[in-house]
Amino acid sequence: MIFLSFLVVTFLQVTSKNIPTEEKLSDYKLNDSAVERFRSGLMLRTVCWEAGKYNETALSLIGSFIENNYPVLHNSPLTVWERVNNYSLLYKVNGQDPKLKPYLLTAHLDVVPTDDQVWDQPPFDANIVENMIYARGAIDTKSSLFGILEAMELHLKNGMKPKRTIYLAFGHDEECGGQYGAVEIVKLLEKRNVRLAFIHDEGTTVTKAPFFSMDSLVACIGISEKGRATVELSVSLPGGHASMPHKQSSIGVLSNAISKLESHPLPSRLSYGGTDVVMFDKMADYIGFPYSLILKNVRFLSPLLNGVFSGNQLMNALMRTTTAITMFHAGTKNNVIATEARAVVDHRIHMTETLEEVLEHDKNVINDERVKMKILEYSKPTPQSCYESSSSTFCPGFELIERTLQKIWKGNLMILPISLFPLTDSRHYVNISDNIYRFIPTIVFVNESSMVHGPNERISIQAYETIINYFYHFIANADHYNRFGDEDDITADVTGKTASGSSHQFDL
């Protein structure tokens, strides 16, 4: 057991020699007009502050901007498009064979608010500094939004007539829950009996292997999302003047409850076989013996691995339901004892755990009837999407992401399924597709991740070029891929000829 512990710790520190690390972009060259379109879109303050409260003027402007700057998409006889609930955008690019199940590419129009004072550059000026575009939304997710639009515009301009129908959906309030954007889009698609082969949404990025000290690049593709429960804790006790305090105060009791929750996290779920175990199993295919043996047996080795992984922030979040204290309210004056104290707990729920189990854990840990619990919001974990095809199971979405990444990065990265921690609009689509994938095709290193939703969000011009390239190849690959499971006589054309006869070189 001591040797095995040493082996695991060593594994967390080694640098894998089995996977090349050089990033190679494809040959597509970004032109100045595409950069300026992107910058102009970033300058629009499409902020969403809270559910139902967003910058309506900016959202109207970005809709008009997109319509005016992508004329081929909007005027093609193949395209039907509409505004949904005033601000969200939905496109249908009709395929040549209506029997084939369509797929959907999605991103969102809105961004989170900014604190302009802590930015090095104004967050809505989209200034270019040392080849980096500084702007709110540069990563999350206007880069994907405009990358999809540029790719689709280019294909249609080149005369592409896709075999299967392609939907594009851009919600306007993802950052505030998606109730007025994605939810309304889904209602419309359900009303029209649309069933999607797969959905490609925002999610994780390419990064340097975040859980091991490797030089390898890794692309983690979200095949599920953790659930979320926000729970209000409240305590009401007699107040009064600070000069004559009671033995216990509402603030003290609630602080003690919070301390208990932070000191007693929910147990690891490694032994339950969720998406985290799937990720380790897939990772083993890239890692040589003896470490692959550990990864292939994570469930059985969980008693040992739990302690090792708990010390890593990312691994800890992968393997359990997490507990974060996000808000605390109490007191009105510095010499008055508060009668009430309230706090908000944010749980990100592991896919193998239920809300009832989480609440029971909280109740048992706090063990104080004076602390009342109230559920403010709950979103259950999403089902796990298909990630590995077999003779009877088709996983076109994941395979197309894999193959497109191999094309763009020349195979020089690990590609792993993962359970996404943040919530995305894609969770609203679970009733119209069994296969949802969450990924942004750009590189964000772990030490840079705080810029997303934080100050100095930025993207390099080269990285934006890669995003366009990715979606350009993805759309072409999807049109010549024959493992959707709904084809009769469709065969893959490895030269990548489009319906119009133009040629692309895609090595599927």
Side-chain angles (χ1 to χ4, degrees):
M1 183 63 75
I2 294 174
F3 170 73
L4 189 55
S5 299
F6 171 76
L7 195 61
V8 174
V9 173
T10 302
F11 173 57
L12 292 174
Q13 298 173 340
V14 298
T15 299
S16 172
K17 304 297 184 183
N18 297 330
I19 303 165
T21 61
E22 181 184 1
E23 178 195 1
K24 296 180 180 178
L25 301 177
S26 56
D27 295 330
Y28 173 78
K29 297 299 180 184
L30 189 65
N31 57 56
D32 291 342
S33 60
V35 173
E36 289 310 305
R37 282 192 293 271
F38 181 42
R39 292 184 64 230
S40 297
L42 289 169
M43 292 177 191
L44 296 171
R45 297 173 176 261
T46 55
V47 175
C48 189
W49 293 279
E50 59 186 59
K53 185 181 178 183
Y54 32 74
N55 190 333
E56 297 181 25
T57 300
L59 288 166
S60 293
L61 287 172
I62 200 169
S64 298
F65 175 81
I66 289 170
E67 180 182 359
N68 294 333
N69 282 272
Y70 297 94
V72 180
L73 172 63
H74 288 83
N75 296 301
S76 169
L78 299 177
T79 304
V80 178
W81 72 279
E82 59 197 303
R83 288 184 173 87
V84 179
N85 204 11
N86 297 321
Y87 307 113
S88 292
L89 301 174
L90 177 63
Y91 298 82
K92 180 183 181 183
V93 182
N94 285 292
Q96 300 302 293
D97 189 344
K99 299 191 302 294
L100 299 180
K101 194 178 289 187
Y103 67 91
L104 181 143
L105 305 176
T106 182
H108 57 87
L109 304 167
D110 61 311
V111 299
V112 296
T114 63
D115 180 356
D116 296 15
Q117 302 303 314
V118 297
W119 281 62
D120 295 338
Q121 298 291 324
F124 292 101
D125 283 7
N127 290 336
I128 300 175
V129 179
E130 296 181 349
N131 207 43
M132 304 291 293
I133 304 173
Y134 282 70
R136 173 59 80 227
I139 299 292
D140 186 11
T141 63
K142 287 184 179 178
S143 53
S144 290
L145 165 70
F146 286 100
I148 292 168
L149 289 168
E150 293 286 345
M152 197 73 251
E153 179 85 355
L154 183 56
H155 274 302
L156 293 175
K157 187 180 293 184
N158 289 342
M160 181 188 195
K161 295 178 181 178
K163 292 188 178 77
R164 66 179 67 240
T165 294
I166 305 168
Y167 282 93
L168 311 178
F170 308 126
H172 69 271
D173 66 336
E174 188 273 347
E175 299 292 3
C176 300
Q179 293 301 315
Y180 298 91
V183 169
E184 294 302 317
I185 291 173
V186 171
K187 286 179 182 177
L188 201 58
L189 294 175
E190 286 182 313
K191 185 178 179 180
R192 295 170 182 171
N193 297 314
V194 174
R195 185 76 186 169
L196 300 166
F198 67 85
I199 295 167
H200 188 316
D201 193 11
E202 64 164 317
T204 46
T205 64
V206 176
T207 188
K208 187 171 285 188
F211 12 77
F212 310 115
S213 300
M214 296 179 179
D215 290 330
S216 321
L217 290 175
V218 57
C220 292
I221 314 302
I223 63 171
S224 65
E225 284 184 20
K226 296 180 80 172
R228 183 190 185 197
T230 52
V231 182
E232 182 186 76
L233 305 180
S234 63
V235 177
S236 294
L237 290 175
H241 199 282
S243 64
M244 297 178 62
H246 303 280
K247 286 187 176 181
Q248 286 189 300
S249 66
S250 59
I251 294 176
V253 171
L254 185 56
S255 297
N256 185 49
I258 289 172
S259 178
K260 287 180 178 179
L261 287 179
E262 290 187 327
S263 301
H264 298 84
L266 283 100
S268 164
R269 309 290 290 187
L270 277 180
S271 62
Y272 288 77
T275 305
D276 42 356
V277 175
V278 168
M279 182 198 73
F280 287 123
D281 184 74
K282 191 81 170 178
M283 189 186 298
D285 297 337
Y286 294 92
I287 307 295
F289 183 85
Y291 307 117
S292 59
L293 184 64
I294 298 172
L295 294 179
K296 287 289 186 182
N297 292 280
V298 163
R299 292 183 67 180
F300 306 105
L301 296 174
S302 59
L304 167 66
L305 297 176
N306 288 338
V308 177
F309 289 164
S310 291
N312 180 286
Q313 187 178 16
L314 176 62
M315 298 305 302
N316 183 64
L318 274 172
M319 71 181 191
R320 60 163 43 90
T321 295
T322 55
T323 301
I325 314 303
T326 57
M327 301 178 74
F328 196 110
H329 301 285
T332 57
K333 199 171 185 295
N334 60 10
N335 64 345
V336 176
I337 298 171
T339 57
E340 184 178 42
R342 294 182 294 111
V344 175
V345 180
D346 186 313
H347 285 299
R348 299 303 167 108
I349 302 176
H350 194 276
M351 65 178 302
T352 65
E353 202 152 25
T354 66
L355 175 63
E356 291 73 23
E357 289 173 317
V358 174
L359 296 178
E360 185 67 19
H361 170 270
D362 288 355
K363 182 179 178 181
N364 292 336
V365 167
I366 293 172
N367 193 28
D368 191 333
E369 293 184 356
R370 294 172 297 180
V371 180
K372 307 303 179 185
M373 299 172 58
K374 177 184 176 182
I375 301 171
L376 301 179
E377 181 185 4
Y378 173 60
S379 179
K380 66 181 180 181
T382 65
Q384 181 174 291
S385 298
C386 177
Y387 66 94
E388 199 163 48
S389 295
S390 65
S391 58
S392 59
T393 303
F394 298 94
C395 304
F398 195 90
E399 285 194 358
L400 283 167
I401 293 172
E402 280 189 308
R403 294 185 181 201
T404 305
L405 284 170
Q406 289 165 357
K407 177 70 181 180
I408 301 300
W409 269 275
K410 311 302 181 187
N412 296 335
L413 75 168
M414 294 191 287
I415 302 171
L416 305 175
I418 196 172
S419 184
L420 201 65
F421 310 152
L423 304 184
T424 69
D425 268 348
S426 65
R427 73 187 188 279
H428 300 303
Y429 288 82
V430 293
N431 289 335
I432 61 173
S433 182
D434 294 328
N435 296 298
I436 300 174
Y437 304 97
R438 305 151 182 92
F439 178 67
I440 299 175
T442 191
I443 295 179
V444 177
F445 294 119
V446 174
N447 62 353
E448 301 171 324
S449 60
S450 62
M451 71 177 176
V452 181
H453 287 205
N456 297 321
E457 185 176 354
R458 60 199 179 273
I459 189 170
S460 71
I461 293 174
Q462 185 183 45
Y464 180 54
E465 175 185 82
T466 301
I467 290 175
I468 297 174
N469 227 344
Y470 171 88
F471 284 113
Y472 182 74
H473 286 296
F474 185 94
I475 292 168
N477 285 345
D479 209 41
H480 302 287
Y481 176 84
N482 66 338
R483 286 172 61 83
F484 277 82
D486 57 3
E487 307 89 343
D488 292 323
D489 299 315
I490 298 176
T491 55
D493 182 353
V494 295
T495 63
K497 288 184 178 179
T498 65
S500 65
S502 59
S503 180
H504 309 285
Q505 295 301 314
F506 300 133
D507 48 352
L508 293 183

